[in-house]
Structures are given as C-alpha cells and as structure tokens.
Amino acid sequence: NVEWIYAGATPPEASLLTQKETTNREWILPSQTTLQQLYHLAMMGDIPAIEKMLENLVEQDQQLAPFVAELSKLTANFQTKKIRQFLVTFVKTESHS
C-alpha cells in the first residue's frame, strides 16, 4: 500500500472525496443569484464564462477565494458533470410540492 505525499496542495482526487464532508459554514459563498448563474452556465457547458465569473468573484471579495479555488480545479479540466454536482449542493432550488 503506497501513500502519496503532495507538497503544498491537496491532490484533486482527495479534494473531491472530501468535498461532500465540507459544509457551507466552512466557505464564504457567493449570492444565490450568482450560484444559480454558475449552475446555469455549467448546465450549458460554458466553462469560459464560468471561469470569467470566478475571476470577477475573487476580485470583488477575497473571502470567496476558497470556493473559487475548488470550482476552478474542476473548470481547469472541463469536468462539467462534477462542476454541476459541486454547485448543486449550494444552490437552493424551489421545492416542487
């Protein structure tokens, strides 16, 4: 059994595995409107637009950096399905009862 040791960064696989354990309280999140816009762009597969929004978010508020960094890991590899899965955990959807 080999354990990989990464210098200065969490490996992307480990990051994705622990993502579900991360709660909203640990990250400062953008507004629901912004989250919904990001999710909509992810549904369309518009990675360049998502990356542009992420750049703007960090410029507006440095506290969003951890959230942006996590999402940027996924956009860097064009992982649209994982981007949608990540965002849907934060987007509040209207209940259809």
Side-chain angles (χ1 to χ4, degrees):
N1 195 6
V2 176
E3 181 178 341
W4 293 98
I5 299 173
Y6 295 85
T10 304
E13 297 81 13
S15 175
L16 292 173
L17 292 174
T18 59
Q19 162 187 326
K20 294 188 188 317
E21 299 166 11
T22 305
T23 64
N24 295 3
R25 285 171 275 143
E26 293 179 29
W27 283 339
I28 304 295
L29 297 174
S31 69
Q32 272 301 306
T33 303
T34 301
L35 288 168
Q36 288 171 358
Q37 288 172 342
L38 286 167
Y39 184 73
H40 180 71
L41 291 170
M43 291 298 288
M44 294 188 311
D46 193 345
I47 301 295
I50 293 171
E51 290 175 332
K52 183 65 175 167
M53 277 189 76
L54 295 178
E55 288 174 25
N56 293 336
L57 285 174
V58 174
E59 288 173 12
Q60 293 168 13
D61 188 350
Q62 279 296 314
Q63 292 182 330
L64 297 173
F67 170 82
V68 169
E70 189 68 28
L71 193 50
S72 293
K73 290 177 190 174
L74 301 176
T75 62
N77 295 316
F78 292 88
Q79 298 177 340
T80 53
K81 182 177 179 184
K82 289 182 181 176
I83 292 167
R84 290 192 303 269
Q85 290 171 340
F86 175 77
L87 288 171
V88 79
T89 62
F90 301 112
V91 174
K92 294 178 182 151
T93 56
E94 296 178 22
S95 61
H96 300 283
S97 29

